[in-house]
Amino acid sequence: MAYKHGVYTSEVPTSVIPPVNTTAGLPVIFGTAPVHLASDRAEANKPVLCYTYDEAVKQFGYSKDWKKYTLCEAVYGMFALYNRAPVVLVNVLDPAKHKQDKTNQAITFSTDRTAVVTDPVLLDTLKVKTVEAGQPLVKGTDYEAAYDDDEQLIITALSGGAIKDAETAVIDYSAVDASAVTEEDIIGGVDVSTGKKRGLETLNQVFPITGLVPGIVLAPGWTDKPSVEAIMKAKAGNINEHFKVILLSDIPTSEVKKYTDASSWKNQHNYTGVDEVACWPMVKMGDFIYHMSTHMLGVIAATDSTDEDDVPYISPSNKSMQMEGLCLEDGTEVVMAPEEANYLNGQGIITALNFIGGWKSWGNNTACYPADTDAKDRFISSRRMFNWHAATFIQTYWSKVDSPTNKRLIETVIDSENIRLNGLVAAQKLLGARIEFNESENPTTSLLDGKIKFHTYFTPPLPAKEIDNVIEMDVDYFKSLFA
């Protein structure tokens, strides 16, 4: 030890740790994107965090053909209809795999020296030639190629170039083939040779890449397929071995055309997850038809944003929806009366209702209801609160892992958590809460193995799903006639 002479100071860590703020409803959306329209194409099967519509379009492209390019529905819904951010997008359409190679395709130039190509051409593969066996011409010198607002590729012959007077030319290219994407691509897996993850396997990469914990996972146009829903449900319940998220799934309106058939289909195909919100039917807005899950994502995001601390204690039911009607996949109108919507709610299915105050989301129950009536699991808001609390606790105290197990560690966690929980109670986001370190739950054998266990008790406010008022005639008020 160095020789000291004088006055010195030192510091100890603050005994109360501020909580880590989490994005309670961070959506992770899987699907297909029109990557041929992207100006700065994102890598396939990689989670990408986007805060704006322009940012998403730049990296993934945008098309009005939502059946082919399913990510576009969610991008438009979140950014345009509900104006909420951020989102994490995962495109499974791999242009190196899901493509068609075409050679020696003839094009004809019109009087304005342009030719139209309707295929979804990957611009970096385009080769323009004067004849079939000719050398590729030079972009910027002989021609230009760009997409117009109708998603058509326009090839323009430049004056002074090799095809300035030509009536025809020949092109080679690779075209995106969205029809080649299957359920297996959404489900994904791990490449044995490279270790690269694909599809839903990339859900575990969201937190390491973005530093944000996923809160909601969905794949409009894919979760109505039981094979996809089953894997998504399993992944949602165990992310990075620490986190849980809510899965938004759709019951297919191509099969379920009446509300009375929705429950039997849901049970038959096991859409009954604790961390699952099952939706029926579809939604109309203008010229577009949306999956209900897309709109529920917007509703949840809008509801969460009403709380400045992003605490998901408010139910997303009976909240305004940006829609004009309900329908089936083929556009057939669905008229939903309150008793019909309530029937669906009683079967653990979320829908929409136009009864009082315009179109509203309708339903509080997760898909596990009515088989599971545990209040922490059956209500969407309470299930999300448990997921949110777990994610917050893990991130806040991760830095304490491997610290010495002593009084200071125990008291730091207890004091910090009770301060946070008391604040939530004072703000009426919890009805009551406390954390304890109990001797009975920490036997010597566990302490010897380096394990300590805390016990949190808390009660989130549950949605007032039923409000009754008993109305009775009081004949004593007749006396007022003689007063």
Side-chain angles (χ1 to χ4, degrees), residues 37-192:
L37 299 174
S39 60
D40 185 17
R41 187 191 309 162
E43 182 181 339
N45 290 295
K46 181 178 180 179
V48 178
L49 181 66
C50 297
Y51 280 88
T52 66
Y53 177 81
D54 289 343
E55 188 179 4
V57 171
K58 183 178 180 181
Q59 297 184 80
F60 295 93
Y62 178 79
S63 171
K64 295 178 182 179
D65 192 345
W66 292 354
K67 286 190 176 181
K68 279 186 179 178
Y69 307 111
T70 57
L71 279 182
C72 296
E73 175 187 332
V75 167
Y76 188 84
M78 275 295 283
F79 289 116
L81 285 186
Y82 290 93
N83 193 28
R84 294 295 182 271
V87 299
V88 174
L89 303 174
V90 183
N91 167 48
V92 304
L93 192 159
D94 187 346
K97 173 184 176 184
H98 305 113
K99 64 184 177 72
Q100 293 181 345
D101 296 322
K102 297 189 177 183
T103 58
N104 298 323
Q105 304 294 303
I107 58 173
T108 302
F109 292 102
S110 61
T111 56
D112 64 356
R113 309 306 301 143
T114 63
V116 177
V117 182
T118 56
D119 278 348
V121 176
L122 292 162
L123 288 177
D124 55 355
T125 68
L126 177 65
K127 296 178 182 178
V128 181
K129 303 176 293 184
T130 55
V131 293
E132 290 186 2
Q135 290 295 318
L137 302 178
V138 180
K139 184 178 180 181
T141 299
D142 299 310
Y143 72 94
E144 287 291 354
Y147 282 95
D148 64 9
D149 292 339
D150 294 322
E151 302 171 24
Q152 298 181 121
L153 179 61
I154 307 299
I155 298 177
T156 303
L158 298 178
S159 60
I163 51 175
K164 62 183 177 62
D165 297 321
E167 294 183 1
T168 63
V170 177
I171 58 175
D172 300 339
Y173 59 87
S174 295
V176 168
D177 185 7
S179 65
V181 179
T182 65
E183 297 172 28
E184 285 70 27
D185 292 303
I186 295 290
I187 293 170
V190 181
D191 190 295
V192 177

Side-chain angles (χ1 to χ4, degrees), residues 263 266-267 271-272 343-349 365-374 378:
S263 176
K266 168 181 176 273
N267 292 325
Y271 279 45
T272 54
Y343 169 78
L344 290 174
N345 292 171
Q347 301 302 312
I349 300 170
N365 293 322
T366 62
C368 73
Y369 189 81
D372 186 346
T373 59
D374 189 332
R378 65 165 285 196

Side-chain angles (χ1 to χ4, degrees), residues 14 75 105 123 149 168 189 194 265 303 332 362 369 371 373 440 467:
T14 305
V75 167
Q105 304 294 303
L123 288 177
D149 292 339
T168 63
T194 65
W265 193 97
T303 301
T332 302
W362 200 248
Y369 189 81
T373 59
S440 60
I467 300 174

